[in-house]
Coordinates of all heavy atoms in Angstrom, one line a residue:
N1 N 0.9 -1.2 0.0 CA 0.0 0.0 0.0 C 0.9 1.2 0.0 O 1.0 1.9 1.0 CB -0.9 0.0 1.2 CG -2.0 1.1 1.2 OD1 -2.1 1.8 0.2 ND2 -2.8 1.2 2.2
T2 N 1.5 1.5 -1.1 CA 2.5 2.6 -1.2 C 1.9 3.9 -0.9 O 2.6 4.8 -0.4 CB 3.2 2.6 -2.6 OG1 2.1 2.7 -3.6 CG2 4.0 1.3 -2.9
S3 N 0.7 4.1 -1.2 CA 0.1 5.5 -0.9 C -0.1 5.8 0.6 O -0.2 6.9 1.0 CB -1.3 5.5 -1.6 OG -2.2 4.6 -1.0
N4 N 0.0 4.7 1.4 CA -0.1 4.9 2.9 C 1.3 4.9 3.6 O 1.4 5.1 4.7 CB -1.0 3.9 3.5 CG -1.4 4.2 4.9 OD1 -1.6 5.4 5.3 ND2 -1.4 3.2 5.8
L5 N 2.3 4.6 2.8 CA 3.7 4.5 3.4 C 4.4 5.8 3.3 O 4.4 6.4 2.2 CB 4.5 3.4 2.7 CG 4.0 2.0 3.0 CD1 4.8 1.0 2.1 CD2 4.2 1.6 4.5
T6 N 4.9 6.3 4.4 CA 5.8 7.5 4.3 C 7.1 7.1 3.6 O 7.4 5.9 3.3 CB 6.1 8.0 5.7 OG1 6.9 7.0 6.4 CG2 4.8 8.2 6.5
S7 N 8.0 8.1 3.4 CA 9.3 7.8 2.8 C 10.1 6.8 3.7 O 10.8 5.9 3.2 CB 10.0 9.0 2.6 OG 10.2 9.8 3.8
V8 N 10.0 6.9 5.0 CA 10.6 6.0 5.9 C 10.0 4.6 5.7 O 10.7 3.6 5.7 CB 10.6 6.5 7.3 CG1 11.1 5.4 8.3 CG2 11.4 7.7 7.5
G9 N 8.7 4.5 5.7 CA 8.0 3.3 5.5 C 8.4 2.6 4.2 O 8.6 1.4 4.1
L10 N 8.4 3.4 3.1 CA 8.8 2.8 1.8 C 10.2 2.2 1.8 O 10.4 1.2 1.2 CB 8.7 3.9 0.7 CG 7.3 4.3 0.3 CD1 7.4 5.6 -0.6 CD2 6.6 3.2 -0.5
S11 N 11.1 2.8 2.6 CA 12.4 2.3 2.6 C 12.5 0.9 3.3 O 13.4 0.1 3.1 CB 13.4 3.2 3.4 OG 13.1 3.2 4.8
Q12 N 11.5 0.5 4.0 CA 11.4 -0.8 4.7 C 10.7 -1.8 3.9 O 10.6 -3.0 4.3 CB 10.8 -0.6 6.1 CG 11.5 0.3 7.0 CD 11.0 0.4 8.4 OE1 10.3 -0.5 8.9 NE2 11.3 1.5 9.0
F13 N 10.3 -1.4 2.7 CA 9.7 -2.4 1.8 C 10.4 -2.4 0.4 O 9.9 -2.8 -0.6 CB 8.2 -2.0 1.5 CG 7.3 -2.4 2.6 CD1 7.1 -1.6 3.7 CD2 6.6 -3.6 2.6 CE1 6.3 -1.9 4.8 CE2 5.8 -4.0 3.7 CZ 5.6 -3.1 4.8
S14 N 11.7 -2.1 0.5 CA 12.5 -2.2 -0.7 C 12.7 -3.6 -1.2 O 13.0 -4.5 -0.4 CB 13.9 -1.6 -0.5 OG 13.8 -0.2 -0.1
K15 N 12.4 -3.9 -2.4 CA 12.5 -5.3 -2.9 C 13.9 -5.7 -3.3 O 14.6 -4.9 -4.0 CB 11.6 -5.4 -4.2 CG 11.4 -6.8 -4.7 CD 10.3 -7.0 -5.6 CE 10.4 -6.1 -6.9 NZ 9.4 -6.3 -7.8
R16 N 14.3 -6.8 -2.8 CA 15.7 -7.3 -3.1 C 15.6 -8.0 -4.4 O 14.7 -8.7 -4.7 CB 16.2 -8.3 -2.0 CG 16.1 -7.7 -0.6 CD 16.8 -8.5 0.4 NE 16.3 -9.9 0.5 CZ 15.2 -10.2 1.3 NH1 14.6 -9.3 2.0 NH2 14.8 -11.4 1.3
T17 N 16.7 -7.7 -5.2 CA 16.7 -8.3 -6.6 C 18.0 -9.1 -6.9 O 18.0 -9.7 -7.9 CB 16.5 -7.2 -7.6 OG1 17.6 -6.2 -7.4 CG2 15.2 -6.5 -7.5
T18 N 19.0 -9.0 -6.1 CA 20.2 -9.7 -6.4 C 20.8 -10.3 -5.1 O 20.7 -9.8 -4.0 CB 21.3 -8.7 -7.0 OG1 21.6 -7.7 -6.0 CG2 20.8 -8.1 -8.3
N19 N 21.6 -11.4 -5.3 CA 22.4 -12.0 -4.3 C 21.7 -12.4 -3.0 O 22.2 -12.1 -1.9 CB 23.6 -11.1 -4.0 CG 24.6 -11.0 -5.2 OD1 24.3 -11.4 -6.3 ND2 25.8 -10.6 -4.9
Y20 N 20.5 -13.0 -3.2 CA 19.8 -13.4 -2.0 C 19.3 -14.8 -2.2 O 19.0 -15.2 -3.3 CB 18.6 -12.4 -1.7 CG 19.1 -11.1 -1.3 CD1 19.2 -10.0 -2.2 CD2 19.6 -10.9 0.0 CE1 19.7 -8.8 -1.8 CE2 20.1 -9.6 0.4 CZ 20.1 -8.6 -0.5 OH 20.6 -7.4 -0.2
Y21 N 19.3 -15.5 -1.0 CA 18.9 -16.9 -1.0 C 17.6 -17.1 -0.2 O 17.5 -16.7 0.9 CB 20.1 -17.7 -0.4 CG 19.8 -19.2 -0.2 CD1 19.4 -20.0 -1.2 CD2 19.9 -19.7 1.1 CE1 19.2 -21.3 -1.0 CE2 19.7 -21.1 1.3 CZ 19.3 -21.9 0.2 OH 19.1 -23.2 0.4
Y22 N 16.6 -17.7 -0.9 CA 15.4 -18.0 -0.1 C 14.9 -19.3 -0.5 O 15.2 -19.9 -1.6 CB 14.4 -16.9 -0.3 CG 14.0 -16.6 -1.8 CD1 12.9 -17.2 -2.3 CD2 14.7 -15.7 -2.6 CE1 12.5 -17.0 -3.7 CE2 14.3 -15.5 -3.9 CZ 13.2 -16.1 -4.4 OH 12.9 -15.9 -5.7
I23 N 14.0 -19.9 0.4 CA 13.5 -21.2 0.2 C 12.0 -21.2 0.1 O 11.3 -20.5 0.9 CB 13.9 -22.1 1.4 CG1 15.4 -22.4 1.3 CG2 13.2 -23.5 1.4 CD1 16.0 -23.2 2.5
G24 N 11.4 -21.9 -0.9 CA 10.0 -22.0 -0.9 C 9.3 -20.8 -1.3 O 9.8 -19.7 -1.7
D25 N 7.9 -20.8 -1.3 CA 7.1 -19.7 -1.6 C 7.1 -18.7 -0.5 O 7.7 -18.9 0.6 CB 5.6 -20.2 -1.8 CG 5.5 -21.1 -3.0 OD1 6.4 -21.0 -3.9 OD2 4.6 -21.9 -3.1
Y26 N 6.5 -17.6 -0.7 CA 6.4 -16.5 0.3 C 5.8 -17.1 1.6 O 4.8 -17.8 1.6 CB 5.5 -15.4 -0.2 CG 5.5 -14.1 0.6 CD1 6.3 -13.0 0.2 CD2 4.8 -14.0 1.8 CE1 6.3 -11.9 0.9 CE2 4.9 -12.9 2.5 CZ 5.6 -11.8 2.1 OH 5.7 -10.6 2.9
D27 N 6.4 -16.7 2.7 CA 6.1 -17.4 4.0 C 5.3 -16.3 4.8 O 6.0 -15.5 5.4 CB 7.4 -17.8 4.7 CG 7.1 -18.7 5.9 OD1 5.9 -18.8 6.3 OD2 8.0 -19.2 6.5
F28 N 4.0 -16.5 4.9 CA 3.2 -15.5 5.7 C 3.4 -15.8 7.2 O 2.8 -15.0 8.0 CB 1.8 -15.6 5.3 CG 1.5 -15.1 3.9 CD1 1.2 -15.9 2.8 CD2 1.5 -13.7 3.7 CE1 1.0 -15.4 1.6 CE2 1.2 -13.2 2.4 CZ 1.0 -14.1 1.3
N29 N 4.0 -16.9 7.5 CA 4.2 -17.2 9.0 C 5.7 -16.9 9.4 O 6.0 -17.2 10.6 CB 3.9 -18.7 9.2 CG 2.5 -19.0 8.9 OD1 1.6 -18.7 9.7 ND2 2.2 -19.5 7.7
S30 N 6.5 -16.3 8.6 CA 7.9 -16.1 8.9 C 8.1 -15.2 10.1 O 7.4 -14.1 10.1 CB 8.7 -15.6 7.7 OG 10.0 -15.3 8.0
V31 N 9.0 -15.5 10.9 CA 9.4 -14.6 12.0 C 10.0 -13.3 11.5 O 10.2 -12.3 12.2 CB 10.3 -15.3 13.0 CG1 11.7 -15.4 12.5 CG2 10.3 -14.5 14.4
M32 N 10.4 -13.3 10.2 CA 11.1 -12.2 9.6 C 10.2 -11.3 8.8 O 10.6 -10.4 8.1 CB 12.2 -12.7 8.6 CG 13.3 -13.6 9.3 SD 13.9 -12.9 10.9 CE 14.8 -11.5 10.2
G33 N 8.9 -11.5 9.0 CA 8.0 -10.6 8.3 C 7.2 -9.7 9.2 O 7.3 -9.8 10.4
Y34 N 6.4 -8.8 8.7 CA 5.6 -7.9 9.5 C 4.1 -8.2 9.2 O 3.8 -8.7 8.2 CB 5.9 -6.4 9.1 CG 7.3 -5.9 9.4 CD1 7.8 -5.0 8.5 CD2 8.0 -6.4 10.4 CE1 9.1 -4.5 8.8 CE2 9.3 -5.9 10.7 CZ 9.8 -4.9 9.9 OH 11.1 -4.5 10.1
S35 N 3.3 -7.8 10.2 CA 1.9 -7.9 10.0 C 1.4 -6.7 9.2 O 2.2 -5.8 8.9 CB 1.2 -7.8 11.4 OG 1.5 -9.0 12.1
S36 N 0.2 -6.7 8.7 CA -0.3 -5.7 7.8 C -0.4 -4.3 8.4 O -0.1 -3.3 7.8 CB -1.7 -6.1 7.3 OG -1.7 -7.1 6.4
Y37 N -0.6 -4.3 9.7 CA -0.8 -3.0 10.4 C 0.4 -2.6 11.3 O 1.1 -3.5 11.8 CB -2.1 -3.0 11.2 CG -3.4 -2.8 10.5 CD1 -4.1 -4.0 10.1 CD2 -3.8 -1.6 10.1 CE1 -5.3 -3.9 9.4 CE2 -5.0 -1.5 9.3 CZ -5.7 -2.6 9.0 OH -6.9 -2.5 8.3
T38 N 0.6 -1.3 11.4 CA 1.5 -0.8 12.3 C 0.9 0.4 13.1 O 0.0 1.1 12.5 CB 2.8 -0.3 11.6 OG1 3.7 0.3 12.6 CG2 2.6 0.7 10.6
S39 N 1.4 0.7 14.3 CA 0.9 1.8 15.0 C 1.8 3.0 14.9 O 1.6 4.0 15.5 CB 0.8 1.4 16.5 OG 2.0 1.0 17.0
S40 N 2.8 2.9 14.0 CA 3.8 3.9 13.9 C 3.4 5.0 12.9 O 3.2 4.7 11.7 CB 5.2 3.3 13.5 OG 6.1 4.3 13.2
G41 N 3.3 6.2 13.4 CA 3.0 7.3 12.5 C 4.2 7.7 11.6 O 4.0 8.5 10.6
S42 N 5.4 7.3 11.9 CA 6.5 7.6 11.0 C 6.6 6.6 9.8 O 7.3 6.8 8.9 CB 7.8 7.5 11.8 OG 8.1 6.2 12.2
I43 N 5.8 5.5 9.9 CA 5.9 4.4 8.9 C 4.7 4.6 7.9 O 4.9 4.5 6.7 CB 5.8 3.0 9.5 CG1 7.0 2.8 10.5 CG2 5.8 2.0 8.4 CD1 8.3 2.9 9.8

């Protein structure tokens, strides 16, 4: 939801495109992911 993300928030959703190793499909249960909502007004 780029229209709701501040510039700081957008920087935390930068898509990696090179030199990364991952396994399987997108993991909605990963400890390394975020939930949909945040309470942060800077994000």
Side-chain angles (χ1 to χ4, degrees):
N1 189 5
T2 56
S3 63
N4 192 38
L5 290 171
T6 66
S7 55
V8 172
L10 286 169
S11 73
Q12 299 185 24
F13 283 84
S14 298
K15 185 165 60 175
R16 304 190 302 275
T17 57
T18 60
N19 291 15
Y20 293 98
Y21 174 56
Y22 57 95
I23 291 177
D25 294 337
Y26 192 100
D27 188 355
F28 291 105
N29 297 279
S30 174
V31 75
M32 303 310 295
Y34 295 149
S35 295
S36 287
Y37 283 96
T38 177
S39 59
S40 171
S42 68
I43 302 298

